[in-house]
Amino acid sequence: MLFSACSTDLDVTGKYKETMVVYGLLDQSQPKQYIKINKAFLGQGSAITMAQLKDSAQYANALTVKIIRLLNGVEYPYPEPFLLPDNTIPKDQGTFYGPDQNNVIYSCNSRALDPTTPNQTDSANFFQTNSQYKLIIKNTETGAEVSSQTVLISDFSFDSYVVSSSFTFYNPSSPNYPFAPKWKSAKNGRIHQLTIRFNYIDSTSTGTINQHLDWVFPEHRSQGLSGGESMGENFPGQEFFQFIGSRLRNSDASAQNGIIARIAGKVDLLIAVGSDDLTTFMDVSKPSTGIIQEKPDFSNITNGIGIFSSRYNKPPGNMSKPLEPTKTLPFLLNGQYTNNLKFIR
């Protein structure tokens, strides 16, 4: 009786509990919206072995996934899109089962006909910045339901410091000629990140290939979520050519002989914005660098874990321009950083 009463056996797995793992970021600038849905698992034996089984982390065809639009807290009289399984995005090889993700990725088109608008001839974007959006996922076999809600990030503008039809990165009379794009923060946006995209064409003996290089800058964080805060970058324009020179030499130096010529295209100023919840989720997901390694969890999914929030990839619009032709383009062709990369007019 004594030995029986003092048993220290512990079943760490316990009774099965369904836990849905959800990841989704709405972005009204994109033609489709995606939600990723897995299930957590735990059992006897090797977790690595179980991870290779489709049934461990993926649901069967038992989920209904929909997004409801709310205007001032009231459901908008507009048919909410049901998201359907999307098999167009295979999973990279790794610890978990793949590449089949037929019941993991769910998607819907951003645009749909609005039945409240008579004689409508074109589709309207279901995702509007004046509304809130509620995600509801239900397992029709078990009855388990999870939900979450988010707002969208509003559009914003660059300051009108660039009024010319081209971008000037170099002026021979000013070796440290500055390039200083500035913009206002977005409403409901917390982190803002600029990318300068340099588009170019590689010409080979078999044809031409459209290429681009992305120069990604550090994040900027807004103080509030109302928008309108001044943000920007400021750097010597010559660093743009140093970036091109280092990237092209490192990426395809072995293929230089196959390239007959390169032609410079436009430069795009792109800004990606993340919501407040997404910023928090990213912060707590970063590796711990201090003595205390334990990190708090963050989730805004009711009855589940994960995140449902928003981001916004601002299209370049009028911030897509060619290189200035009399000073900047000649420096790309003949300057010290890029003169051996076969750029021509």
Side-chain angles (χ1 to χ4, degrees):
M1 291 175 60
L2 177 64
F3 285 117
S4 176
C6 296
S7 173
T8 57
D9 291 343
L10 176 64
D11 183 2
V12 296
T13 58
K15 186 179 179 181
Y16 175 76
K17 177 184 178 182
E18 181 177 358
T19 303
M20 201 175 296
V21 185
V22 181
Y23 183 88
L25 298 174
L26 299 182
D27 183 349
Q28 71 273 21
S29 71
Q30 303 302 308
K32 296 185 75 172
Q33 308 297 324
Y34 297 92
I35 305 293
K36 188 173 187 283
I37 308 170
N38 288 100
K39 58 181 177 180
F41 64 91
L42 181 65
Q44 301 291 341
S46 169
I48 295 178
T49 301
M50 286 185 285
Q52 292 293 328
L53 302 176
K54 182 175 182 178
D55 180 63
S56 294
Q58 295 190 20
Y59 286 93
N61 296 317
L63 299 181
T64 59
V65 185
K66 66 179 180 179
I67 295 177
I68 297 174
R69 180 180 175 187
L70 302 172
L71 187 60
N72 297 322
V74 179
E75 185 172 343
Y76 190 70
Y78 192 94
E80 63 272 7
F82 278 86
L83 287 79
L84 300 177
D86 192 318
N87 61 3
T88 62
I89 306 176
K91 179 185 175 299
D92 292 337
Q93 290 185 350
T95 302
F96 293 91
Y97 174 86
D100 168 24
Q101 292 194 113
N102 289 357
N103 301 317
V104 175
I105 306 295
Y106 288 75
S107 69
C108 69
N109 292 326
S110 298
R111 305 182 74 84
L113 290 176
D114 185 349
T116 65
T117 304
N119 303 320
Q120 188 177 10
T121 58
D122 192 13
S123 57
N125 199 332
F126 177 78
F127 298 94
Q128 302 285 335
T129 55
N130 65 344
S131 303
Q132 301 84 39
Y133 291 87
K134 184 174 183 179
L135 172 69
I136 300 176
I137 306 171
K138 186 173 183 178
N139 186 334
T140 58
E141 291 182 348
T142 66
E145 182 176 299
V146 305
S147 63
S148 187
Q149 191 166 312
T150 188
V151 295
L152 301 183
I153 297 171
S154 298
D155 194 13
F156 57 98
S157 61
F158 279 92
D159 289 356
S160 57
Y161 85 101
V162 179
V163 295
S164 64
S165 59
S166 58
F167 285 134
T168 301
F169 289 94
Y170 177 75
N171 189 324
S173 63
S174 177
N176 291 322
Y177 186 84
F179 191 77
K182 300 183 185 301
W183 63 90
K184 301 297 185 184
S185 66
K187 182 180 179 181
N188 298 324
R190 178 67 76 186
I191 51 174
H192 302 66
Q193 189 167 43
L194 172 70
T195 295
I196 297 181
R197 173 170 293 176
F198 172 58
N199 298 283
Y200 65 97
I201 297 174
D202 279 343
S203 178
T204 68
S205 59
T206 58
T208 59
I209 307 171
N210 292 322
Q211 307 270 35
H212 70 265
L213 294 175
D214 282 349
W215 187 8
V216 182
F217 287 77
E219 299 170 357
H220 292 260
R221 299 200 178 202
S222 62
Q223 296 296 315
L225 299 174
S226 299
E229 299 177 28
S230 296
M231 296 181 171
E233 298 288 349
N234 191 329
F235 58 91
Q238 286 202 42
E239 292 184 3
F240 173 73
F241 303 99
Q242 294 175 10
F243 168 76
I244 295 174
S246 64
R247 287 289 297 272
L248 288 183
R249 289 192 187 95
N250 292 336
S251 64
D252 62 0
S254 61
Q256 291 292 316
N257 293 333
I259 297 173
I260 299 173
R262 285 186 165 114
I263 301 172
K266 290 185 176 182
V267 173
D268 302 332
L269 301 190
L270 308 171
I271 295 184
V273 188
S275 68
D276 195 36
D277 279 348
L278 177 59
T279 304
T280 303
F281 182 83
M282 293 170 63
D283 285 343
V284 301
S285 300
K286 291 177 181 177
S288 178
T289 58
I291 297 176
I292 300 176
Q293 294 296 306
E294 185 177 352
K295 298 176 67 67
D297 294 326
F298 176 81
S299 172
N300 66 354
I301 306 296
T302 302
N303 297 326
I305 59 175
I307 183 171
F308 175 65
S309 191
S310 61
R311 63 181 172 185
Y312 180 61
N313 289 284
K314 182 174 177 61
N318 60 0
M319 290 294 105
S320 177
K321 301 182 181 183
L323 295 175
E324 187 278 322
T326 63
K327 304 179 183 68
T328 301
L329 183 58
F331 193 75
L332 174 71
L333 273 55
N334 306 310
Q336 64 196 78
Y337 306 109
T338 54
N339 60 4
N340 63 344
L341 296 178
K342 301 184 179 180
F343 280 103
I344 63 172
R345 284 189 178 273

